[in-house]
Amino acid sequence: MKSLLLFGVIATLSLAVSAGLVGGGLGGGFGGGHHEHVDYYAVPHYTYEYKVHDPHTGDMKSQHETREGDVVKGYYTLHESDGTIREVHYTADKHNGFNAEVKRIGHAHHAPVYGYHHHGHHLG
């Protein structure tokens, strides 16, 4: 959960900096006596990635994403509880929307259930 929160904070700060909402920017400050229009728009651009590998809990996942203008590309992997790995590659842009290719790698293995006994009770 901390990893996702940290990811959210980093992504939000990256977008805020790209949009000119954080930092001094151009044309800031006081004085000068003239008012000039300054366009603070910057083409969005970022790259991030994170990885979690916790052998104690079995939590293993990673993600990588880049954005250049209006085009986002990325992938993530997630180790499922059945032993398979989910791998998702995705893209998003204003022309094609969001598209994802999902792969499942490996064979599912389910742990045996212990302590369950079927006694054959009948209603009647």
PDB file of all heavy atoms in Angstrom, residues 28 32 46:
ATOM      1  N   GLY A  28       7.837  34.847 -13.230  1.00  0.00           N
ATOM      2  CA  GLY A  28       7.383  35.023 -11.854  1.00  0.00           C
ATOM      3  C   GLY A  28       8.093  36.180 -11.194  1.00  0.00           C
ATOM      4  O   GLY A  28       8.941  36.848 -11.769  1.00  0.00           O
ATOM      5  N   GLY A  32       9.070  45.407 -11.940  1.00  0.00           N
ATOM      6  CA  GLY A  32       9.179  45.455 -13.391  1.00  0.00           C
ATOM      7  C   GLY A  32       8.159  46.382 -14.008  1.00  0.00           C
ATOM      8  O   GLY A  32       8.409  46.995 -15.018  1.00  0.00           O
ATOM      9  N   TYR A  46       7.048  12.519 -18.761  1.00  0.00           N
ATOM     10  CA  TYR A  46       7.550  11.875 -17.547  1.00  0.00           C
ATOM     11  C   TYR A  46       7.883  10.422 -17.821  1.00  0.00           C
ATOM     12  O   TYR A  46       7.437   9.834 -18.792  1.00  0.00           O
ATOM     13  CB  TYR A  46       6.566  11.974 -16.376  1.00  0.00           C
ATOM     14  CG  TYR A  46       5.259  11.227 -16.571  1.00  0.00           C
ATOM     15  CD1 TYR A  46       5.165   9.857 -16.339  1.00  0.00           C
ATOM     16  CD2 TYR A  46       4.115  11.898 -16.962  1.00  0.00           C
ATOM     17  CE1 TYR A  46       3.973   9.182 -16.499  1.00  0.00           C
ATOM     18  CE2 TYR A  46       2.918  11.231 -17.120  1.00  0.00           C
ATOM     19  CZ  TYR A  46       2.851   9.880 -16.890  1.00  0.00           C
ATOM     20  OH  TYR A  46       1.660   9.203 -17.055  1.00  0.00           O
TER      21      TYR A  46
END
